[in-house]
Amino acid sequence: MCIALACTALDATAGGSLLLLDAPPAETTWSGGLSVRGWPRAPGSARQREALLPALDYESPSGIFAATDTGLGWNLAPQLLDGDAAKTWQLGARLWPQSGRSRRESPPGINSLGSRLITQLFANVQATPELLLQSGLSWGSGRHHNGDQLELGATSGIPIGQELLAISLAATYANAAHLRGNFGIGPGESLASGLPMFQPHSGWQDWSVALSAEHKFSADWSVNGQWLHTRLVGQAAASPLTHSRDQPSFIFSLWHRF
């Protein structure tokens, strides 16, 4: 494919959950390294958290993958499709953690929101050599694990010398359970915090733009990275818990293939 980049999905508090995978390898591969990450401290936070974390990546010819960047999943395209179609399409499911709002990041009187294990069905297609269309339907978020999100996006590439810079645009639609869990204020929380009650309904949550790139130093060593800027919209942006509509995140990883 034209866009052969190892893009990453951070612990998502807003957008950025779409996958961009390489075709399954001919043989099982293991890689390890280190990642520098930055992400919002909570949904709508104006502050970021940065960390240096270990990075692991496993890929199977069957399409099964497990990675610190992408979670645990299975690209079923090699099992369901033949020939070039198996490389053109990416179809499957995955599990990955979604961070919430810790007690430290919650205003007094506002309940904390713990991390969640999210399930996602994904479907991507290389519509043209220059355009990859992406989609992801996720559930399991929100305070009661009944939040749903639909993210739609597109990725294209710009050649820079021998490298390729991928540019992605995406937007996220969320149900009421997800928006209330991340941005809502219930009657009891309103009384305890002094903040106005806020109970959003289903709607668009954000749009995002991402820049991703990879460079191979050799057959075994490589570095990749992604910068993601998410902009909250609609009810997510209007929430009293939102201190900044802009939700940037990044990840840079150094890899060694074993």
Side-chain angles (χ1 to χ4, degrees):
M1 290 191 301
C2 177
I3 309 168
L5 297 173
C7 292
T8 58
L10 295 171
D11 292 354
T13 55
S17 70
L18 293 176
L19 279 175
L20 184 55
L21 300 170
D22 291 327
E27 298 180 352
T28 297
T29 63
W30 286 91
S31 299
L34 289 174
S35 294
V36 178
R37 295 172 177 257
W39 67 97
R41 287 181 174 266
S45 176
R47 300 190 299 166
Q48 276 204 319
R49 178 177 285 112
E50 291 83 27
L52 177 64
L53 300 170
L56 295 172
D57 184 274
Y58 164 83
E59 296 182 50
S60 164
S62 66
I64 294 175
F65 58 89
T68 49
D69 290 348
T70 54
L72 173 64
W74 193 358
N75 176 14
L76 291 168
Q79 312 298 322
L80 302 176
L81 304 173
D82 298 320
D84 290 340
K87 297 181 179 179
T88 300
W89 284 88
Q90 300 168 358
L91 306 166
R94 67 163 176 150
L95 298 172
W96 95 100
Q98 184 181 68
S99 57
R101 178 180 284 105
S102 67
R103 187 165 299 280
R104 178 181 297 179
E105 298 298 327
S106 302
I110 299 297
N111 296 329
S112 61
L113 177 68
S115 299
R116 298 289 188 267
L117 188 62
I118 306 301
T119 305
Q120 182 188 64
L121 297 178
F122 61 87
N124 303 336
V125 60
Q126 192 78 39
T128 71
E130 298 81 19
L131 180 64
L132 178 72
L133 301 179
Q134 302 157 274
S135 65
L137 176 63
S138 307
W139 63 91
S141 60
R143 185 159 284 120
H144 303 292
H145 304 274
N146 57 349
D148 302 329
Q149 299 173 84
L150 173 64
E151 191 170 4
L152 303 173
T155 295
S156 188
I158 298 177
I160 301 179
Q162 299 298 315
E163 311 297 340
L164 193 68
L165 176 67
I167 301 177
S168 303
L169 297 175
T172 306
Y173 187 92
N175 71 349
H178 174 84
L179 289 172
R180 290 179 183 180
N182 285 275
F183 302 100
I185 300 174
E189 293 174 307
S190 178
L191 288 174
S193 66
L195 295 173
M197 189 170 66
F198 187 74
Q199 295 186 307
H201 51 79
S202 300
W204 290 102
Q205 174 181 275
D206 58 60
W207 64 265
S208 61
V209 58
L211 301 177
S212 310
E214 180 185 45
H215 174 72
K216 292 184 179 296
F217 298 106
S218 66
D220 296 329
W221 287 95
S222 64
V223 61
N224 63 26
Q226 182 189 70
W227 173 82
L228 171 72
H229 187 88
T230 299
R231 177 78 172 176
L232 298 178
V233 299
Q235 300 164 100
S239 170
L241 298 177
T242 295
H243 299 287
S244 175
R245 295 186 178 188
D246 297 313
Q247 302 284 278
S249 58
F250 67 85
I251 180 170
F252 297 100
S253 300
L254 175 66
W255 294 99
H256 179 262
R257 181 174 174 177
F258 300 104

